[in-house]
Amino acid sequence: MKRLLLPLSVALAAVVPAAARAHAFLDHATPPVGGSVQTAPDAVQLWFSERLEPALSSVSVFDGAGKRVDRQPLQADESDRKHLTVPVAGPLAPGTYKVVWRAVSVDTHATTGDFTFSVGR
């Protein structure tokens, strides 16, 4: 029995880190996460750590009053499967905006998150 447990535990240790990497986490965004821009963007762009399944992913942008200001559809970058863009109704007024995202990687693992950015502050 002990002979079986050691190889099994080594095999599991090798698999677990690979599974953890399969989730698409936010790498960076434009406007930057928690950042401030003087000029209102015409879109919010997000880059993730893994290739995405765009049809199952989403990005929404809300103003300070909670009103949705993104203009769907979400755009996927065909040359970079880690990159999503959502246009915003513009120009955005000065204020703080919240971006809420759901990313589904190509192996169907889903992650969610949100961040804020400010315009003209």
Side-chain angles (χ1 to χ4, degrees):
M1 184 69 154
K2 288 182 182 180
R3 286 185 189 172
L4 179 61
L5 290 179
L6 183 58
L8 182 59
S9 64
V10 171
L12 285 175
V15 171
V16 171
R21 288 190 304 268
H23 292 74
F25 295 104
L26 183 64
D27 182 64
H28 65 283
T30 300
V33 174
S36 181
V37 293
Q38 291 303 311
T39 304
D42 57 0
V44 174
Q45 300 183 65
L46 295 88
W47 286 265
F48 292 88
S49 60
E50 297 290 328
R51 292 181 305 132
L52 303 172
E53 194 59 60
L56 302 175
S57 301
S58 64
V59 178
S60 302
V61 183
F62 300 90
D63 66 14
K67 179 183 172 197
R68 204 164 163 182
V69 296
D70 58 272
R71 289 188 338 223
Q72 298 295 320
L74 183 64
Q75 300 167 357
D77 186 338
E78 293 298 321
S79 64
D80 182 357
R81 300 272 317 265
K82 299 177 182 180
H83 179 205
L84 297 175
T85 301
V86 64
V88 294
L92 296 179
T96 300
Y97 293 84
K98 182 176 184 177
V99 178
V100 178
W101 57 267
R102 179 178 192 268
V104 178
S105 60
V106 292
D107 62 0
T108 68
H109 290 129
T111 54
T112 59
D114 63 76
F115 66 90
T116 60
F117 69 90
S118 297
V119 174
R121 292 188 179 184

